[in-house]
Amino acid sequence: MRILFSIHLYPPKHLCGAEFYAHNIAKELVKRGHQVRVYLHQWYGASTDGRYSLDGVDVCPPTCSNQAKEELFQWADIVLTHLDFTKWTLWKCRQLGKPCVFITHNTSNFYDQMVKDASRLGIIYNAQHAKDFLNYDKPSIVLPPHMDLERVKCDRVGDYITLINLS
């Protein structure tokens, strides 16, 4: 399957939880034999085309030509999106008749109307709490963030350890 992520930012330029969450999904999809590409809507400091590949995932920043952007959407069998530019991505998918998957990262109701109005939309909730709270009337799955235990390994210094933003 050809899968496109239409998202705002991506590693290694942007290293936050939602971006690692998307990258971990993308890496797993590549590992399972799918083709995965990312179209970025934001890019800091790019003066050239800026295309790159990360763990088998091809990334096209917004400095790519309009033709390249259009080709990415035409190429995709399905589009995943989250956070910023969700509304634009849902519009583009509707325009092209492409199915879309919206990834929730919190329980904000900011996206409620967009989700309600979208057709051919699936939902990935990052936690059961988010699913219980938002409960969108769309096909969905709960997919908690992957936790790389090697990244959080430490020497025991007390009785408790607090982990924050596991992605």
Side-chain angles (χ1 to χ4, degrees):
M1 183 177 276
R2 295 180 310 246
I3 302 162
L4 176 65
F5 280 77
S6 173
I7 55 180
H8 62 297
L9 295 164
Y10 199 73
K13 295 280 187 185
H14 196 74
L15 303 174
C16 292
E19 291 72 28
F20 280 120
Y21 184 86
H23 184 60
N24 285 332
I25 291 172
K27 283 192 311 187
E28 184 62 28
L29 290 168
V30 167
K31 192 165 106 179
R32 292 176 183 224
H34 300 286
Q35 293 177 293
V36 181
R37 295 180 181 166
V38 174
Y39 169 64
L40 298 180
H41 293 267
Q42 294 176 324
W43 180 259
Y44 301 124
S47 58
T48 63
D49 184 311
R51 290 176 186 241
Y52 64 96
S53 183
L54 181 64
D55 298 322
V57 178
D58 295 322
V59 182
C60 180
T63 53
C64 294
S65 70
N66 286 337
Q67 180 181 345
K69 296 173 204 175
E70 192 64 32
E71 287 171 359
L72 283 172
F73 278 89
Q74 293 291 343
W75 166 87
D77 295 318
I78 192 166
V79 179
L80 281 74
T81 190
H82 68 186
L83 300 172
D84 302 346
F85 301 98
T86 293
K87 186 174 186 176
W88 184 90
T89 301
L90 291 173
W91 168 82
K92 187 69 172 172
C93 287
R94 185 179 311 125
Q95 179 188 47
L96 297 173
K98 301 280 181 176
C100 189
V101 175
F102 171 61
I103 302 170
T104 65
H105 292 289
N106 54 51
T107 56
S108 167
N109 64 356
F110 177 79
Y111 301 95
D112 288 358
Q113 194 61 46
M114 289 178 233
V115 169
K116 181 181 175 190
D117 293 344
S119 61
R120 301 189 74 193
L121 181 68
I123 307 291
I124 295 176
Y125 297 98
N126 71 342
Q128 186 63 46
H129 169 74
K131 179 176 176 52
D132 293 344
F133 186 88
L134 295 169
N135 197 26
Y136 292 130
D137 186 23
K138 304 285 183 185
S140 67
I141 187 171
V142 175
L143 184 61
H146 168 76
M147 185 171 146
D148 180 359
L149 295 176
E150 289 301 312
R151 285 190 63 234
V152 296
K153 197 176 200 176
C154 64
D155 294 329
R156 189 177 187 102
V157 293
D159 293 334
Y160 302 97
I161 297 172
T162 300
L163 302 174
I164 300 171
N165 195 359
L166 303 182
S167 292

